[in-house]
């Protein structure tokens, strides 16, 4: 019985090895269900903007900026060549949706590694050409913004903080737990009267207070030079002598006059524009809603890219399917 059992087991092993050898000798076939990417370039302007969040004319401008920044069709490590427009489309799709790299590779008929490499390449270039998208206003622009904030004279913008949900970082992850009990990275944004970002600061962990984030930002280091005699609107997080350039509402201690209540109303109505900017950005560039399995340096690049694209596509007013009549309220910073 023992001899017979041993022989059967050896024959079974041999059969298994032969089957594996046959399978390995066959060429691997990777099924992709995505259409040819050139079809996407033939979409009408409305359809293109619905899928990629920017109009066709702006896409052509973005292509030129990316090529000037160093985006090319060559691929290293033996990977197939990807045309620059295809890389840009994959990047926009990545930013506009929460699809995984597997889903993106399937849609654009490329390998997952090629999709990851192309998107990371565009993110890196976007980080380098940021001044093309976000820049501090000059004299004429400041005067125009100040005129737009009619009831709060001398104001050229509004400032606030925004939480971007992330996965717990492997190092000092507890620092990213915010007061709403989830892990996040903070974005500080200053917007003008049009809801356009004129300054951003990205990267502090979620537990940091808005006031502390502002003190640690690059903007605060030279605010006097940038602000001149103008001011910003902010919420109660910025009350204090350290921020003389921010107009904040007075705390209601029960002794506010009618004039104080009226002033608080004007401040709140004026600064809502920064909340709306965060909301529209998360509504349009949905990658920001939850950044999972992503390195912290890439998290920062993604957030910066979303701010750049927000400004770049500001004229594209189409809503999203989930919010046809408005955008979600952003998850603001600590107050």
């Amino acid at each position: 019985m023992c001899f017979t059992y041993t022989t059967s087991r050896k024959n079974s092993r041999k059969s298994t090895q032969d089957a594996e050898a046959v399978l390995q000798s066959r060429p691997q076939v990777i099924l992709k269900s995505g259409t040819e990417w050139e079809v996407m370039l033939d979409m009408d302007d409305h359809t293109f903007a619905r899928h990629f969040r920017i109009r066709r004319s702006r896409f052509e401008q973005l292509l030129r900026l990316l090529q000037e920044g160093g985006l090319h069709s060559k691929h290293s490590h033996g990977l197939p060549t990807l045309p620059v427009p295809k890389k840009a489309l994959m990047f926009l799709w990545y930013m506009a949706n929460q699809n995984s790299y597997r889903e993106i590779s399937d849609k654009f008929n490329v390998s997952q590694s090629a999709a990851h490499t192309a998107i990371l390449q565009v993110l890196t270039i976007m980080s380098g050409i940021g001044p093309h998208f976000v820049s501090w206003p000059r004299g004429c622009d400041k005067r125009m913004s100040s005129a737009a904030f009619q009831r709060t004279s001398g104001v050229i913008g509004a400032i606030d903080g925004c939480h971007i949900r992330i996965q717990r970082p492997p190092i000092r992850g507890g620092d990213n737990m915010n007061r709403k009990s989830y892990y996040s990275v903070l974005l500080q944004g200053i917007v003008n009267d049009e809801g356009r970002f004129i300054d951003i600061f990205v990267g502090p962990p979620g537990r940091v207070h808005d006031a502390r984030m502002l003190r640690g930002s690059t903007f605060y280091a030279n605010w006097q030079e940038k602000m001149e005699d103008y001011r910003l609107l902010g919420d109660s997080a910025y009350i204090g002598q350290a921020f003389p350039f921010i107009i904040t509402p007075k705390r209601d201690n029960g002794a506010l006059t009618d004039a104080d209540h009226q002033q608080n109303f004007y401040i709140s109505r004026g600064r809502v524009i920064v909340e709306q900017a965060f909301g529209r950005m998360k509504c349009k560039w949905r990658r920001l809603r939850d950044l999972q399995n992503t390195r912290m340096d890439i998290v920062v690049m993604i957030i910066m890219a979303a701010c750049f694209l927000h400004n770049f596509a500001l004229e594209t007013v189409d809503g999203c399917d989930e919010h046809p009549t408005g955008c979600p309220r952003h998850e603001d910073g600590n107050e």
Side-chain angles (χ1 to χ4, degrees):
M1 292 292 292
C2 183
F3 177 78
T4 303
Y5 174 78
T6 304
T7 303
S8 299
R9 185 171 60 179
K10 287 182 178 180
N11 290 338
S12 176
R13 279 183 185 171
K14 188 175 186 304
S15 298
T16 302
Q17 292 172 352
D18 291 343
E20 290 177 351
V22 171
L23 290 175
Q24 291 175 359
S25 65
R26 294 178 180 175
Q28 292 186 352
V29 178
I30 301 177
L31 298 178
K32 299 290 182 183
S33 61
T35 59
E36 290 295 328
W37 70 274
E38 290 91 345
V39 176
M40 301 176 184
L41 296 176
D42 294 330
M43 294 176 178
D44 62 85
D45 193 65
H46 177 72
T47 304
F48 188 89
R50 280 190 58 206
H51 286 291
F52 296 101
R53 308 303 194 210
I54 63 175
R55 301 195 187 280
R56 287 286 304 277
S57 58
R58 300 297 274 169
F59 177 70
E60 298 298 330
Q61 295 178 34
L62 181 62
L63 275 182
R64 288 195 293 271
L65 288 173
L66 291 175
Q67 287 175 312
E68 291 171 2
L71 186 64
H72 48 71
S73 299
K74 294 181 180 179
H75 241 146
S76 59
H77 307 297
L79 295 174
T81 299
L82 293 181
V84 170
K86 189 172 186 177
K87 291 182 178 181
L89 288 174
M90 282 195 294
F91 163 71
L92 289 175
W93 189 271
Y94 173 83
M95 294 296 298
N97 299 279
Q98 291 184 297
N99 294 152
S100 64
Y101 281 112
R102 179 182 59 80
E103 293 168 318
I104 294 175
S105 69
D106 181 71
K107 183 170 187 64
F108 288 88
N109 196 27
V110 298
S111 67
Q112 291 187 46
S113 61
H116 180 271
T117 300
I119 291 170
L120 183 58
Q121 184 182 10
V122 179
L123 280 172
T124 303
I125 292 174
M126 287 285 287
S127 299
I129 61 176
H132 284 281
F133 306 100
V134 175
S135 60
W136 191 255
R138 301 192 178 187
C140 181
D141 295 325
K142 289 180 179 179
R143 289 192 292 272
M144 292 178 61
S145 292
S146 179
F149 289 97
Q150 297 176 0
R151 295 187 179 273
T152 45
S153 60
V155 170
I156 59 172
I159 183 172
D160 203 359
C162 176
H163 287 285
I164 307 298
R165 186 185 295 267
I166 62 170
Q167 189 177 38
R168 178 187 170 100
I171 300 176
R172 295 181 61 89
D175 291 346
N176 291 86
M177 175 67 74
N178 60 39
R179 62 188 176 88
K180 297 183 179 181
S181 301
Y182 66 86
Y183 299 102
S184 65
V185 161
L186 282 169
L187 159 65
Q188 174 183 282
I190 303 176
V191 304
N192 64 8
D193 60 291
E194 298 176 337
R196 180 183 299 274
F197 290 109
I198 57 178
D199 187 88
I200 59 173
F201 180 63
V202 184
R207 69 184 298 177
V208 173
H209 191 274
D210 280 359
R212 180 182 171 190
M213 174 169 58
L214 175 54
R215 286 194 297 268
S217 68
T218 52
F219 170 80
Y220 190 75
N222 57 353
W223 68 264
Q224 291 177 317
E225 177 185 349
K226 287 190 172 185
M227 293 303 301
E228 298 176 341
D229 295 327
Y230 294 100
R231 291 181 291 178
L232 302 173
L233 296 178
D235 58 26
S236 58
Y238 303 106
I239 293 178
Q241 296 180 351
F243 313 120
F245 55 94
I246 300 180
I247 301 177
T248 57
K250 292 184 178 180
R251 289 196 173 101
D252 191 354
N253 56 6
L256 294 183
T257 65
D258 291 342
D260 292 333
H261 284 294
Q262 191 74 0
Q263 180 68 9
N264 283 355
F265 170 76
Y266 290 140
I267 293 173
S268 297
R269 190 173 68 173
R271 61 168 295 276
V272 75
I273 193 168
V274 66
E275 295 184 352
Q276 292 173 342
F278 288 139
R280 286 197 301 270
M281 181 173 64
K282 285 186 176 183
C283 185
K284 183 172 288 187
W285 307 107
R286 301 182 187 182
R287 179 63 53 177
L288 287 191
R289 294 184 179 182
D290 193 7
L291 297 178
Q292 296 291 329
N293 302 318
T294 306
R295 298 197 323 253
M296 287 303 299
D297 58 331
I298 300 179
V299 164
V300 171
M301 287 196 293
I302 292 172
I303 299 172
M304 291 173 60
C307 294
F308 300 157
L309 290 172
H310 167 83
N311 282 3
F312 192 69
L314 201 58
E315 84 290 351
T316 306
V317 295
D318 298 332
C320 66
D321 296 335
E322 294 182 18
H323 307 279
T325 58
C327 295
R329 181 177 178 86
H330 83 284
E331 295 164 306
D332 58 353
N334 302 306
E335 297 184 5

